[in-house]
Amino acid sequence: MKWMVASDLHGSAYYCRKLLEAYRREGAERLVLLGDLLYHGPRNDLPREYAPKEVAAMLNAVADELLCVRGNCEAEVDQLMLQFPVMAEYAVFYLGGTMYFATHGHKFNKETPPCLKEGDVLLHGHTHVTADELCIAEGPHGSYTYRYLNPGSVSIPKENTARGYLLLTEAGVEFKGL
């Protein structure tokens, strides 16, 4: 099983096309999108080929292959444009015996992690910065170690990180550039 994970399209038709081309090329079974799909937000410059209606049409064409969570730029009006759910604050899935907690990152993140168990993975975007870190948190039964993964941003990367995505398989995690 192979799943692709990306975040922060911010309405860029250009980078949405590139992402979907990579998705097809990789042969992934699912595309997990970690929010901020259509709107660029007031803190970001307009991304290349800003065209939220085109992005919505491209994503709607693969709606049955998507698992999405709500970003801080998503609003109810965005859901009206999309034929797949995008308003959930998080999603939980298992791959190769590992539990992944997928969220955008503006509510659950390294500073305010959800309640996880030893070896779980916190998967989020939001910062536009690629990351792969082992973190320690306190839970109801003491401290535990979890893995934090961030694919960065497809359209507006920050801190000199690449535009890219993650591939998740039973064998592990691979960061890829567009």
Side-chain angles (χ1 to χ4, degrees), residues 61-155:
V62 294
D64 61 336
E65 300 173 46
L66 299 177
L67 176 64
C68 300
V69 295
R70 178 178 186 236
N72 60 303
C73 291
E74 256 80 59
E76 290 180 23
V77 70
D78 297 319
Q79 183 63 79
L80 295 173
M81 296 286 298
L82 301 169
Q83 298 169 1
F84 52 90
V86 71
M87 298 304 287
E89 294 294 333
Y90 64 88
V92 174
F93 61 92
Y94 291 81
L95 189 60
T98 300
M99 192 278 282
Y100 290 85
F101 186 99
T103 189
H104 181 62
H106 62 296
K107 292 186 179 179
F108 297 109
N109 51 54
K110 288 191 328 181
E111 285 72 39
T112 57
C115 193
L116 301 170
K117 287 186 173 182
E118 184 75 27
D120 288 346
V121 176
L122 173 60
L123 184 61
H124 76 68
H126 185 58
T127 64
H128 298 218
V129 179
T130 308
D132 183 356
E133 303 172 18
L134 286 178
C135 300
I136 299 173
E138 288 298 321
H141 304 292
S143 64
Y144 61 91
T145 302
Y146 68 93
R147 188 174 184 182
Y148 159 56
L149 297 173
N150 189 324
S153 173
V154 172
S155 66

